[in-house]
Amino acid sequence: MTIATQKEISIGELVALDFRTAEIFKKYKIDFCCGGKKTLSQVCEEKKIDRIEIQNKLNDLTNDTNLSSQNYNNWSLDFLVDYIINTHHNYVKTSIPIILEYTNKIAKVHGENHPELIAINNLFKEATAELEAHMVKEETILFPYIKELVSSSNKTKQNAICDFGTIKNPIRMMEHEHDVVGDIFKTMRELSNNYTPPDDGCTTYKVAFLKLNEFEADLHQHIHLENNILFPKSIKLESQLF
């Protein structure tokens, strides 16, 4: 079955099957992470996009045997957890102070002529404060429990124990927080004209927008791995064990 014939699966599931499809969805401004639960039919109808055009591009990928993306969908959940922490959480932690230095500076220097920079600076601070608290909850509560589920399924440990009833509860909270941060970055992208610096923008201005664009791209993949792969598989694993 080709990607284009899988009409009822969600955008997130399409990207989970082959992350290269993310580039196609980005081109059409289709949200595959926070909005990944919608089907291709729903999104095309909402955005008035030619579905056949997108399907043809998706089908072209299935004919390309050069799988340049990692097959995250086949990774064990404990390995995927470690990957998310070591790759995406660490990226967020190391990038925040660097980007804040840039956004603070351009807001101060160019804010009078470009007041949107002040808003962008404040929004980035709001988003990153949310992300930092979010990652602590994942690393100290949710992710350890997922690893316990894996150990239980491998018979290397007794049944996992949690204080939150079912894994669906913290996952629901994590997905909500993903939506909050995703919406903040959508606003920042709109305010910055897709992170396009003006003609009078200095080098710091340009670098700040490049780093914000890079941060958002990493965030999309980060959220995709959790919302569309890690979380649904963890819910399924817990249901099989208990």
Side-chain angles (χ1 to χ4, degrees):
M1 182 181 289
T2 64
I3 290 176
T5 60
Q6 296 173 1
K7 296 181 180 179
E8 298 306 318
I9 76 171
S10 68
I11 295 292
E13 289 171 313
L14 285 171
V15 180
L17 287 171
D18 187 344
F19 192 73
R20 296 175 301 168
T21 60
E23 293 305 315
I24 295 173
F25 295 132
K26 285 179 185 177
K27 178 181 177 182
Y28 289 91
K29 294 182 170 58
I30 294 174
D31 181 4
F32 63 86
C33 53
C34 295
K37 289 184 171 63
K38 295 181 180 180
T39 65
L40 184 58
S41 296
Q42 291 173 318
V43 172
C44 288
E45 183 177 350
E46 289 174 5
K47 291 181 168 288
K48 309 301 180 186
I49 298 173
D50 185 349
R51 181 180 177 183
I52 294 177
E53 181 180 333
I54 296 182
Q55 283 183 330
N56 288 337
K57 292 182 182 296
L58 294 173
N59 279 339
D60 287 342
L61 287 181
T62 66
N63 297 325
D64 181 3
T65 57
N66 180 25
L67 293 176
S68 58
S69 65
Q70 296 280 8
N71 196 354
Y72 306 105
N73 206 36
N74 289 340
W75 288 3
S76 64
L77 295 185
D78 51 349
F79 185 84
L80 183 57
V81 162
D82 287 338
Y83 176 82
I84 289 170
I85 293 172
N86 293 327
T87 301
H88 296 293
H89 284 202
N90 283 346
Y91 171 82
V92 169
K93 293 171 185 176
T94 57
S95 295
I96 286 174
I98 296 171
I99 297 176
L100 275 176
E101 182 179 348
Y102 291 136
T103 57
N104 283 330
K105 184 174 181 180
I106 62 174
K108 182 178 180 180
V109 175
H110 299 280
E112 185 174 347
N113 293 328
H114 298 281
E116 70 275 6
L117 294 179
I118 298 173
I120 288 170
N121 189 34
N122 290 333
L123 286 168
F124 184 71
K125 290 176 181 177
E126 180 184 347
T128 53
E130 182 79 27
L131 272 174
E132 287 174 324
H134 173 89
M135 292 189 300
V136 168
K137 285 180 279 190
E138 287 187 334
E139 293 179 15
T140 59
I141 300 172
L142 180 57
F143 288 177
Y145 179 64
I146 292 174
K147 285 192 166 188
E148 288 184 10
L149 289 175
V150 174
S151 296
S152 296
S153 68
N154 294 335
K155 308 298 184 182
T156 59
K157 189 176 182 179
Q158 293 182 344
N159 284 345
I161 300 174
C162 69
D163 298 324
F164 39 77
T166 170
I167 198 170
K168 290 180 181 180
N169 293 325
I171 283 177
R172 193 177 298 115
M173 178 183 292
M174 295 301 100
E175 289 181 333
H176 169 70
E177 292 174 0
H178 287 166
D179 289 342
V180 170
V181 174
D183 286 342
I184 292 173
F185 271 89
K186 284 178 184 176
T187 302
M188 291 169 58
R189 180 169 287 278
E190 291 170 0
L191 288 171
S192 63
N193 188 25
N194 291 319
Y195 302 119
T196 304
D199 293 337
D200 63 340
C202 64
T203 300
T204 302
Y205 203 132
K206 295 173 182 175
V207 172
F209 276 19
L210 283 171
K211 296 297 290 182
L212 285 170
N213 190 43
E214 176 189 85
F215 192 98
E216 185 180 5
D218 180 84
L219 184 67
H220 285 170
Q221 184 175 10
H222 179 176
I223 292 175
H224 158 67
L225 292 177
E226 293 184 359
N227 280 14
N228 301 324
I229 301 179
L230 181 65
F231 292 169
K233 285 192 170 186
S234 298
I235 291 171
K236 182 178 180 180
L237 179 58
E238 185 188 59
S239 69
Q240 291 171 340
L241 291 172
F242 305 112

PDB file of all heavy atoms in Angstrom, residues 152-182:
ATOM      1  N   SER A 152       9.261  -4.124  31.947  1.00  0.00           N
ATOM      2  CA  SER A 152       8.225  -5.093  32.309  1.00  0.00           C
ATOM      3  C   SER A 152       7.877  -5.988  31.131  1.00  0.00           C
ATOM      4  O   SER A 152       7.687  -7.200  31.289  1.00  0.00           O
ATOM      5  CB  SER A 152       6.965  -4.359  32.778  1.00  0.00           C
ATOM      6  OG  SER A 152       7.211  -3.635  33.961  1.00  0.00           O
ATOM      7  N   SER A 153       7.809  -5.402  29.953  1.00  0.00           N
ATOM      8  CA  SER A 153       7.468  -6.195  28.767  1.00  0.00           C
ATOM      9  C   SER A 153       8.589  -7.156  28.399  1.00  0.00           C
ATOM     10  O   SER A 153       8.341  -8.216  27.816  1.00  0.00           O
ATOM     11  CB  SER A 153       7.173  -5.276  27.574  1.00  0.00           C
ATOM     12  OG  SER A 153       8.333  -4.613  27.139  1.00  0.00           O
ATOM     13  N   ASN A 154       9.827  -6.801  28.772  1.00  0.00           N
ATOM     14  CA  ASN A 154      10.979  -7.674  28.502  1.00  0.00           C
ATOM     15  C   ASN A 154      11.232  -8.673  29.625  1.00  0.00           C
ATOM     16  O   ASN A 154      12.212  -9.427  29.584  1.00  0.00           O
ATOM     17  CB  ASN A 154      12.237  -6.834  28.282  1.00  0.00           C
ATOM     18  CG  ASN A 154      12.164  -5.996  27.025  1.00  0.00           C
ATOM     19  OD1 ASN A 154      11.449  -6.337  26.088  1.00  0.00           O
ATOM     20  ND2 ASN A 154      12.907  -4.903  26.989  1.00  0.00           N
ATOM     21  N   LYS A 155      10.383  -8.615  30.655  1.00  0.00           N
ATOM     22  CA  LYS A 155      10.496  -9.509  31.815  1.00  0.00           C
ATOM     23  C   LYS A 155      11.783  -9.286  32.607  1.00  0.00           C
ATOM     24  O   LYS A 155      12.249 -10.163  33.331  1.00  0.00           O
ATOM     25  CB  LYS A 155      10.441 -10.986  31.377  1.00  0.00           C
ATOM     26  CG  LYS A 155       9.260 -11.348  30.490  1.00  0.00           C
ATOM     27  CD  LYS A 155       7.941 -11.132  31.182  1.00  0.00           C
ATOM     28  CE  LYS A 155       6.785 -11.593  30.289  1.00  0.00           C
ATOM     29  NZ  LYS A 155       5.478 -11.346  30.910  1.00  0.00           N
ATOM     30  N   THR A 156      12.364  -8.100  32.468  1.00  0.00           N
ATOM     31  CA  THR A 156      13.587  -7.811  33.212  1.00  0.00           C
ATOM     32  C   THR A 156      13.293  -7.057  34.508  1.00  0.00           C
ATOM     33  O   THR A 156      14.186  -6.768  35.281  1.00  0.00           O
ATOM     34  CB  THR A 156      14.558  -6.976  32.365  1.00  0.00           C
ATOM     35  OG1 THR A 156      13.917  -5.751  31.985  1.00  0.00           O
ATOM     36  CG2 THR A 156      14.989  -7.742  31.127  1.00  0.00           C
ATOM     37  N   LYS A 157      12.014  -6.751  34.725  1.00  0.00           N
ATOM     38  CA  LYS A 157      11.631  -6.016  35.917  1.00  0.00           C
ATOM     39  C   LYS A 157      10.180  -6.316  36.231  1.00  0.00           C
ATOM     40  O   LYS A 157       9.400  -6.676  35.349  1.00  0.00           O
ATOM     41  CB  LYS A 157      11.824  -4.502  35.696  1.00  0.00           C
ATOM     42  CG  LYS A 157      11.671  -3.651  36.949  1.00  0.00           C
ATOM     43  CD  LYS A 157      11.983  -2.192  36.641  1.00  0.00           C
ATOM     44  CE  LYS A 157      11.872  -1.343  37.899  1.00  0.00           C
ATOM     45  NZ  LYS A 157      12.189   0.074  37.620  1.00  0.00           N
ATOM     46  N   GLN A 158       9.798  -6.162  37.501  1.00  0.00           N
ATOM     47  CA  GLN A 158       8.399  -6.348  37.874  1.00  0.00           C
ATOM     48  C   GLN A 158       7.544  -5.276  37.217  1.00  0.00           C
ATOM     49  O   GLN A 158       8.054  -4.283  36.703  1.00  0.00           O
ATOM     50  CB  GLN A 158       8.251  -6.279  39.397  1.00  0.00           C
ATOM     51  CG  GLN A 158       8.914  -7.447  40.138  1.00  0.00           C
ATOM     52  CD  GLN A 158       8.690  -7.353  41.630  1.00  0.00           C
ATOM     53  OE1 GLN A 158       8.318  -6.310  42.141  1.00  0.00           O
ATOM     54  NE2 GLN A 158       8.913  -8.456  42.321  1.00  0.00           N
ATOM     55  N   ASN A 159       6.245  -5.491  37.249  1.00  0.00           N
ATOM     56  CA  ASN A 159       5.332  -4.560  36.588  1.00  0.00           C
ATOM     57  C   ASN A 159       5.580  -3.118  37.026  1.00  0.00           C
ATOM     58  O   ASN A 159       5.805  -2.835  38.207  1.00  0.00           O
ATOM     59  CB  ASN A 159       3.881  -4.933  36.899  1.00  0.00           C
ATOM     60  CG  ASN A 159       3.435  -6.142  36.098  1.00  0.00           C
ATOM     61  OD1 ASN A 159       4.092  -6.535  35.137  1.00  0.00           O
ATOM     62  ND2 ASN A 159       2.316  -6.722  36.489  1.00  0.00           N
ATOM     63  N   ALA A 160       5.550  -2.217  36.042  1.00  0.00           N
ATOM     64  CA  ALA A 160       5.762  -0.805  36.317  1.00  0.00           C
ATOM     65  C   ALA A 160       4.644  -0.269  37.200  1.00  0.00           C
ATOM     66  O   ALA A 160       3.490  -0.681  37.097  1.00  0.00           O
ATOM     67  CB  ALA A 160       5.799  -0.038  35.004  1.00  0.00           C
ATOM     68  N   ILE A 161       5.018   0.650  38.088  1.00  0.00           N
ATOM     69  CA  ILE A 161       4.059   1.243  39.013  1.00  0.00           C
ATOM     70  C   ILE A 161       4.045   2.752  38.794  1.00  0.00           C
ATOM     71  O   ILE A 161       5.094   3.383  38.658  1.00  0.00           O
ATOM     72  CB  ILE A 161       4.427   0.934  40.478  1.00  0.00           C
ATOM     73  CG1 ILE A 161       4.442  -0.586  40.708  1.00  0.00           C
ATOM     74  CG2 ILE A 161       3.463   1.622  41.440  1.00  0.00           C
ATOM     75  CD1 ILE A 161       4.938  -0.981  42.084  1.00  0.00           C
ATOM     76  N   CYS A 162       2.846   3.336  38.763  1.00  0.00           N
ATOM     77  CA  CYS A 162       2.749   4.787  38.603  1.00  0.00           C
ATOM     78  C   CYS A 162       1.747   5.351  39.599  1.00  0.00           C
ATOM     79  O   CYS A 162       0.924   4.623  40.144  1.00  0.00           O
ATOM     80  CB  CYS A 162       2.338   5.140  37.170  1.00  0.00           C
ATOM     81  SG  CYS A 162       0.630   4.680  36.770  1.00  0.00           S
ATOM     82  N   ASP A 163       1.854   6.661  39.817  1.00  0.00           N
ATOM     83  CA  ASP A 163       0.960   7.346  40.743  1.00  0.00           C
ATOM     84  C   ASP A 163      -0.102   8.161  40.011  1.00  0.00           C
ATOM     85  O   ASP A 163      -0.826   8.939  40.635  1.00  0.00           O
ATOM     86  CB  ASP A 163       1.761   8.293  41.650  1.00  0.00           C
ATOM     87  CG  ASP A 163       2.763   7.531  42.517  1.00  0.00           C
ATOM     88  OD1 ASP A 163       2.435   6.411  42.953  1.00  0.00           O
ATOM     89  OD2 ASP A 163       3.873   8.069  42.742  1.00  0.00           O
ATOM     90  N   PHE A 164      -0.169   8.005  38.689  1.00  0.00           N
ATOM     91  CA  PHE A 164      -1.081   8.850  37.912  1.00  0.00           C
ATOM     92  C   PHE A 164      -2.179   8.054  37.220  1.00  0.00           C
ATOM     93  O   PHE A 164      -2.786   8.510  36.263  1.00  0.00           O
ATOM     94  CB  PHE A 164      -0.317   9.694  36.891  1.00  0.00           C
ATOM     95  CG  PHE A 164       0.832   8.977  36.223  1.00  0.00           C
ATOM     96  CD1 PHE A 164       0.613   8.046  35.220  1.00  0.00           C
ATOM     97  CD2 PHE A 164       2.130   9.248  36.619  1.00  0.00           C
ATOM     98  CE1 PHE A 164       1.665   7.399  34.612  1.00  0.00           C
ATOM     99  CE2 PHE A 164       3.202   8.605  36.011  1.00  0.00           C
ATOM    100  CZ  PHE A 164       2.967   7.679  34.997  1.00  0.00           C
ATOM    101  N   GLY A 165      -2.458   6.842  37.718  1.00  0.00           N
ATOM    102  CA  GLY A 165      -3.577   6.046  37.203  1.00  0.00           C
ATOM    103  C   GLY A 165      -3.249   5.320  35.923  1.00  0.00           C
ATOM    104  O   GLY A 165      -3.131   4.104  35.891  1.00  0.00           O
ATOM    105  N   THR A 166      -3.091   6.058  34.863  1.00  0.00           N
ATOM    106  CA  THR A 166      -2.751   5.501  33.559  1.00  0.00           C
ATOM    107  C   THR A 166      -1.849   6.478  32.830  1.00  0.00           C
ATOM    108  O   THR A 166      -1.906   7.692  33.077  1.00  0.00           O
ATOM    109  CB  THR A 166      -4.018   5.237  32.715  1.00  0.00           C
ATOM    110  OG1 THR A 166      -3.625   4.924  31.372  1.00  0.00           O
ATOM    111  CG2 THR A 166      -4.926   6.448  32.679  1.00  0.00           C
ATOM    112  N   ILE A 167      -1.041   5.962  31.945  1.00  0.00           N
ATOM    113  CA  ILE A 167      -0.102   6.819  31.216  1.00  0.00           C
ATOM    114  C   ILE A 167      -0.823   7.852  30.356  1.00  0.00           C
ATOM    115  O   ILE A 167      -0.251   8.881  29.985  1.00  0.00           O
ATOM    116  CB  ILE A 167       0.847   5.954  30.348  1.00  0.00           C
ATOM    117  CG1 ILE A 167       2.082   6.766  29.934  1.00  0.00           C
ATOM    118  CG2 ILE A 167       0.116   5.383  29.137  1.00  0.00           C
ATOM    119  CD1 ILE A 167       3.164   5.932  29.287  1.00  0.00           C
ATOM    120  N   LYS A 168      -2.090   7.603  30.064  1.00  0.00           N
ATOM    121  CA  LYS A 168      -2.853   8.551  29.250  1.00  0.00           C
ATOM    122  C   LYS A 168      -2.954   9.915  29.928  1.00  0.00           C
ATOM    123  O   LYS A 168      -3.045  10.942  29.245  1.00  0.00           O
ATOM    124  CB  LYS A 168      -4.259   8.020  28.980  1.00  0.00           C
ATOM    125  CG  LYS A 168      -4.308   6.825  28.041  1.00  0.00           C
ATOM    126  CD  LYS A 168      -5.751   6.375  27.825  1.00  0.00           C
ATOM    127  CE  LYS A 168      -5.821   5.158  26.912  1.00  0.00           C
ATOM    128  NZ  LYS A 168      -7.223   4.707  26.703  1.00  0.00           N
ATOM    129  N   ASN A 169      -2.929   9.937  31.255  1.00  0.00           N
ATOM    130  CA  ASN A 169      -3.081  11.203  31.980  1.00  0.00           C
ATOM    131  C   ASN A 169      -1.894  12.144  31.776  1.00  0.00           C
ATOM    132  O   ASN A 169      -2.090  13.289  31.357  1.00  0.00           O
ATOM    133  CB  ASN A 169      -3.339  10.935  33.460  1.00  0.00           C
ATOM    134  CG  ASN A 169      -4.690  10.267  33.693  1.00  0.00           C
ATOM    135  OD1 ASN A 169      -5.661  10.553  32.992  1.00  0.00           O
ATOM    136  ND2 ASN A 169      -4.764   9.375  34.666  1.00  0.00           N
ATOM    137  N   PRO A 170      -0.660  11.723  32.064  1.00  0.00           N
ATOM    138  CA  PRO A 170       0.458  12.640  31.797  1.00  0.00           C
ATOM    139  C   PRO A 170       0.646  12.920  30.313  1.00  0.00           C
ATOM    140  O   PRO A 170       1.049  14.024  29.935  1.00  0.00           O
ATOM    141  CB  PRO A 170       1.670  11.916  32.388  1.00  0.00           C
ATOM    142  CG  PRO A 170       1.281  10.488  32.451  1.00  0.00           C
ATOM    143  CD  PRO A 170      -0.195  10.486  32.712  1.00  0.00           C
ATOM    144  N   ILE A 171       0.352  11.944  29.464  1.00  0.00           N
ATOM    145  CA  ILE A 171       0.489  12.172  28.018  1.00  0.00           C
ATOM    146  C   ILE A 171      -0.481  13.252  27.559  1.00  0.00           C
ATOM    147  O   ILE A 171      -0.135  14.119  26.744  1.00  0.00           O
ATOM    148  CB  ILE A 171       0.277  10.859  27.238  1.00  0.00           C
ATOM    149  CG1 ILE A 171       1.539   9.993  27.349  1.00  0.00           C
ATOM    150  CG2 ILE A 171      -0.063  11.144  25.777  1.00  0.00           C
ATOM    151  CD1 ILE A 171       1.430   8.650  26.678  1.00  0.00           C
ATOM    152  N   ARG A 172      -1.691  13.229  28.093  1.00  0.00           N
ATOM    153  CA  ARG A 172      -2.680  14.257  27.738  1.00  0.00           C
ATOM    154  C   ARG A 172      -2.145  15.648  28.108  1.00  0.00           C
ATOM    155  O   ARG A 172      -2.288  16.607  27.344  1.00  0.00           O
ATOM    156  CB  ARG A 172      -3.994  13.973  28.463  1.00  0.00           C
ATOM    157  CG  ARG A 172      -5.177  14.783  27.954  1.00  0.00           C
ATOM    158  CD  ARG A 172      -6.458  14.387  28.670  1.00  0.00           C
ATOM    159  NE  ARG A 172      -6.797  12.988  28.432  1.00  0.00           N
ATOM    160  CZ  ARG A 172      -6.823  12.040  29.349  1.00  0.00           C
ATOM    161  NH1 ARG A 172      -6.515  12.345  30.613  1.00  0.00           N
ATOM    162  NH2 ARG A 172      -7.150  10.798  29.059  1.00  0.00           N
ATOM    163  N   MET A 173      -1.500  15.726  29.276  1.00  0.00           N
ATOM    164  CA  MET A 173      -0.930  17.007  29.706  1.00  0.00           C
ATOM    165  C   MET A 173       0.227  17.417  28.810  1.00  0.00           C
ATOM    166  O   MET A 173       0.349  18.588  28.412  1.00  0.00           O
ATOM    167  CB  MET A 173      -0.444  16.914  31.160  1.00  0.00           C
ATOM    168  CG  MET A 173       0.200  18.185  31.675  1.00  0.00           C
ATOM    169  SD  MET A 173       0.829  18.010  33.367  1.00  0.00           S
ATOM    170  CE  MET A 173      -0.713  17.842  34.263  1.00  0.00           C
ATOM    171  N   MET A 174       1.094  16.465  28.464  1.00  0.00           N
ATOM    172  CA  MET A 174       2.244  16.770  27.614  1.00  0.00           C
ATOM    173  C   MET A 174       1.788  17.249  26.231  1.00  0.00           C
ATOM    174  O   MET A 174       2.359  18.191  25.669  1.00  0.00           O
ATOM    175  CB  MET A 174       3.139  15.537  27.455  1.00  0.00           C
ATOM    176  CG  MET A 174       3.808  15.043  28.732  1.00  0.00           C
ATOM    177  SD  MET A 174       4.870  16.252  29.558  1.00  0.00           S
ATOM    178  CE  MET A 174       3.778  16.826  30.860  1.00  0.00           C
ATOM    179  N   GLU A 175       0.756  16.613  25.694  1.00  0.00           N
ATOM    180  CA  GLU A 175       0.255  17.012  24.374  1.00  0.00           C
ATOM    181  C   GLU A 175      -0.352  18.416  24.427  1.00  0.00           C
ATOM    182  O   GLU A 175      -0.199  19.201  23.478  1.00  0.00           O
ATOM    183  CB  GLU A 175      -0.765  15.997  23.866  1.00  0.00           C
ATOM    184  CG  GLU A 175      -0.135  14.668  23.471  1.00  0.00           C
ATOM    185  CD  GLU A 175      -1.143  13.660  22.946  1.00  0.00           C
ATOM    186  OE1 GLU A 175      -2.337  13.750  23.338  1.00  0.00           O
ATOM    187  OE2 GLU A 175      -0.746  12.794  22.162  1.00  0.00           O
ATOM    188  N   HIS A 176      -1.040  18.716  25.524  1.00  0.00           N
ATOM    189  CA  HIS A 176      -1.589  20.070  25.683  1.00  0.00           C
ATOM    190  C   HIS A 176      -0.462  21.101  25.719  1.00  0.00           C
ATOM    191  O   HIS A 176      -0.553  22.162  25.062  1.00  0.00           O
ATOM    192  CB  HIS A 176      -2.424  20.158  26.957  1.00  0.00           C
ATOM    193  CG  HIS A 176      -2.812  21.561  27.330  1.00  0.00           C
ATOM    194  ND1 HIS A 176      -3.728  22.301  26.607  1.00  0.00           N
ATOM    195  CD2 HIS A 176      -2.362  22.371  28.334  1.00  0.00           C
ATOM    196  CE1 HIS A 176      -3.841  23.508  27.148  1.00  0.00           C
ATOM    197  NE2 HIS A 176      -3.034  23.576  28.191  1.00  0.00           N
ATOM    198  N   GLU A 177       0.597  20.795  26.444  1.00  0.00           N
ATOM    199  CA  GLU A 177       1.723  21.722  26.533  1.00  0.00           C
ATOM    200  C   GLU A 177       2.436  21.859  25.190  1.00  0.00           C
ATOM    201  O   GLU A 177       2.930  22.941  24.846  1.00  0.00           O
ATOM    202  CB  GLU A 177       2.677  21.274  27.641  1.00  0.00           C
ATOM    203  CG  GLU A 177       2.061  21.422  29.025  1.00  0.00           C
ATOM    204  CD  GLU A 177       2.909  20.849  30.153  1.00  0.00           C
ATOM    205  OE1 GLU A 177       4.014  20.310  29.859  1.00  0.00           O
ATOM    206  OE2 GLU A 177       2.487  20.924  31.325  1.00  0.00           O
ATOM    207  N   HIS A 178       2.484  20.778  24.425  1.00  0.00           N
ATOM    208  CA  HIS A 178       3.015  20.865  23.059  1.00  0.00           C
ATOM    209  C   HIS A 178       2.199  21.856  22.237  1.00  0.00           C
ATOM    210  O   HIS A 178       2.758  22.666  21.477  1.00  0.00           O
ATOM    211  CB  HIS A 178       2.977  19.495  22.377  1.00  0.00           C
ATOM    212  CG  HIS A 178       4.004  18.535  22.875  1.00  0.00           C
ATOM    213  ND1 HIS A 178       3.948  17.183  22.602  1.00  0.00           N
ATOM    214  CD2 HIS A 178       5.128  18.719  23.612  1.00  0.00           C
ATOM    215  CE1 HIS A 178       4.983  16.574  23.153  1.00  0.00           C
ATOM    216  NE2 HIS A 178       5.708  17.489  23.776  1.00  0.00           N
ATOM    217  N   ASP A 179       0.874  21.778  22.371  1.00  0.00           N
ATOM    218  CA  ASP A 179      -0.010  22.682  21.625  1.00  0.00           C
ATOM    219  C   ASP A 179       0.247  24.142  22.014  1.00  0.00           C
ATOM    220  O   ASP A 179       0.269  25.028  21.151  1.00  0.00           O
ATOM    221  CB  ASP A 179      -1.479  22.341  21.892  1.00  0.00           C
ATOM    222  CG  ASP A 179      -1.905  21.035  21.240  1.00  0.00           C
ATOM    223  OD1 ASP A 179      -1.210  20.572  20.320  1.00  0.00           O
ATOM    224  OD2 ASP A 179      -2.945  20.480  21.658  1.00  0.00           O
ATOM    225  N   VAL A 180       0.436  24.379  23.304  1.00  0.00           N
ATOM    226  CA  VAL A 180       0.667  25.739  23.792  1.00  0.00           C
ATOM    227  C   VAL A 180       1.941  26.315  23.169  1.00  0.00           C
ATOM    228  O   VAL A 180       1.946  27.430  22.627  1.00  0.00           O
ATOM    229  CB  VAL A 180       0.766  25.761  25.330  1.00  0.00           C
ATOM    230  CG1 VAL A 180       1.252  27.128  25.821  1.00  0.00           C
ATOM    231  CG2 VAL A 180      -0.579  25.427  25.966  1.00  0.00           C
ATOM    232  N   VAL A 181       3.022  25.543  23.237  1.00  0.00           N
ATOM    233  CA  VAL A 181       4.299  26.012  22.680  1.00  0.00           C
ATOM    234  C   VAL A 181       4.213  26.138  21.161  1.00  0.00           C
ATOM    235  O   VAL A 181       4.730  27.099  20.577  1.00  0.00           O
ATOM    236  CB  VAL A 181       5.450  25.061  23.083  1.00  0.00           C
ATOM    237  CG1 VAL A 181       6.744  25.464  22.388  1.00  0.00           C
ATOM    238  CG2 VAL A 181       5.642  25.076  24.600  1.00  0.00           C
ATOM    239  N   GLY A 182       3.563  25.180  20.521  1.00  0.00           N
ATOM    240  CA  GLY A 182       3.410  25.236  19.072  1.00  0.00           C
ATOM    241  C   GLY A 182       2.672  26.487  18.634  1.00  0.00           C
ATOM    242  O   GLY A 182       3.042  27.121  17.635  1.00  0.00           O
TER     243      GLY A 182
END
